[in-house]
Amino acid sequence: MSNKPVSENQKDQPELAAPKTGPSKTTRIVVVLLAAILFAGFCGLGYWQVERRAWKLDLIERVDARVHGDAVTAPDASDWENVTRARDEYRKVTLLGTYRNDLETQVYAATDYGAGYWVITPMERVDGTIIMINRGFVPTDRRDPDNRPETMIDGQTRVTGLLRMDEPVGTFMRDNVPEEDRWYSRDVKAIAIKQGLSPDRVAPYFIDADGKNNPDTFPVGGLTKINFPNNHLMYALTWFGMAALTLVGAWLVLRHRKSDDDVELDD
């Protein structure tokens, strides 16, 4: 430690404040512009998720009303061009017709009952038009119609169920292979063509039967799952949180910092 005496002039000299350091003017401009862009973008994404949440809640309410409402007659050929996913999917409908058991098709399915097949049977109306009916699920060992002769319903019968839209091509993982009669989605047009039916006479939708006509036998109907994930509020909060963090980050970059000379060392 130094013992050098301090003069009177040195004692009276005022202490200078430690200089502060900070980013340059150019850096500050760049940071402000970048923060403004990110903040506006994150807020926009958050607001978009808020709008999506409102739309999803409205969709859930509308679908719930369709599912639990009174059954209406399935759209006929004159109204097929007006059938849309937004207006009609999951609407409860009823249909009177005759099953074409000779043209049954099985579509691979994974359900709560395990792996197996949906039984898709054309139903012919009195006017000759066809609506595909998903009669329900059968396990692999009951895929062959000969193993379940009790399911072959003859004559006119009434089916009630949920209207579903066509599922063309296949699934995300597998494509339909019509020439080998391997189906992974309910592609009504392709199934109709494979069965030798005129696609113009086949409805652009199918019906998931409710299973009330065969509650204790195969095929098992009424397995339609309606699930609309609604995570939009969480996504909105995430984006708004990112917007807030952008402001915090910009403040940390732009704030003045004391220089290292501000630290006093005790000799």
Side-chain angles (χ1 to χ4, degrees):
M1 181 178 294
S2 175
N3 295 321
K4 188 180 294 184
V6 179
S7 67
E8 291 297 328
N9 291 336
Q10 287 177 318
K11 288 182 181 181
D12 296 337
Q13 186 174 5
E15 294 185 2
L16 297 177
K20 294 182 178 181
T21 61
S24 65
K25 182 177 180 181
T26 301
T27 300
R28 294 170 68 86
I29 293 174
V30 171
V31 169
V32 169
L33 288 176
L34 182 60
I37 293 171
L38 291 175
F39 180 79
F42 289 141
C43 285
L45 290 170
Y47 182 72
W48 176 64
Q49 288 297 333
V50 170
E51 290 185 324
R52 289 284 295 174
R53 180 175 182 270
W55 170 83
K56 184 65 69 65
L57 290 174
D58 179 66
L59 173 64
I60 292 172
E61 183 179 352
R62 285 188 284 112
V63 169
D64 186 69
R66 294 175 196 169
V67 171
H68 297 100
D70 295 331
V72 298
T73 303
D76 58 23
S78 63
D79 196 35
W80 286 353
E81 63 180 12
N82 299 317
V83 174
T84 64
R85 189 179 304 275
R87 191 193 76 168
D88 299 293
E89 187 156 38
Y90 299 112
R91 188 180 303 281
K92 185 184 290 187
V93 296
T94 185
L95 171 69
L96 181 66
T98 304
Y99 279 127
R100 293 291 305 273
N101 294 307
D102 56 319
L103 300 179
E104 179 184 296
T105 297
Q106 298 88 33
V107 178
Y108 180 79
T111 72
D112 293 339
Y113 289 84
Y117 296 87
W118 298 123
V119 174
I120 309 296
T121 307
M123 176 169 273
E124 187 171 357
R125 283 175 150 174
V126 293
D127 63 358
T129 58
I130 298 288
I131 296 179
M132 295 292 182
I133 308 297
N134 176 19
R135 297 185 58 195
F137 171 83
V138 294
T140 302
D141 60 354
R142 302 294 294 275
R143 178 184 184 184
D144 190 337
D146 292 337
N147 293 334
R148 43 183 171 83
E150 72 281 359
T151 67
M152 302 295 108
I153 300 175
D154 295 322
Q156 279 204 336
T157 187
R158 181 169 294 278
V159 172
T160 300
L162 300 180
L163 185 151
R164 303 293 308 281
M165 299 304 295
D166 188 17
E167 299 172 346
V169 180
T171 65
F172 176 74
M173 298 296 294
R174 297 177 178 177
D175 293 333
N176 293 326
V177 188
E179 58 272 17
E180 298 179 13
D181 210 22
R182 287 195 284 119
W183 304 93
Y184 302 100
S185 72
R186 291 159 290 193
D187 186 343
V188 296
K189 290 295 185 183
I191 291 174
I193 293 172
K194 180 65 169 61
Q195 297 291 9
L197 298 169
S198 171
D200 293 335
R201 302 295 291 169
V202 178
Y205 60 87
F206 63 94
I207 296 174
D208 274 345
D210 61 14
K212 292 181 179 179
N213 293 333
N214 54 339
D216 301 316
T217 60
F218 292 112
V220 180
L223 299 183
T224 308
K225 286 193 173 183
I226 303 174
N227 182 28
F228 296 103
N230 187 12
N231 300 317
H232 299 294
L233 179 59
M234 181 185 68
Y235 296 151
L237 292 176
T238 299
W239 289 123
F240 287 135
M242 293 291 289
L245 288 176
T246 298
L247 297 181
V248 173
W251 177 79
L252 290 174
V253 172
L254 296 175
R255 70 189 179 99
H256 288 289
R257 297 184 301 273
K258 291 184 177 181
S259 68
D260 294 338
D261 296 338
D262 193 40
V263 180
E264 294 183 357
L265 298 179
D266 188 9
D267 292 338

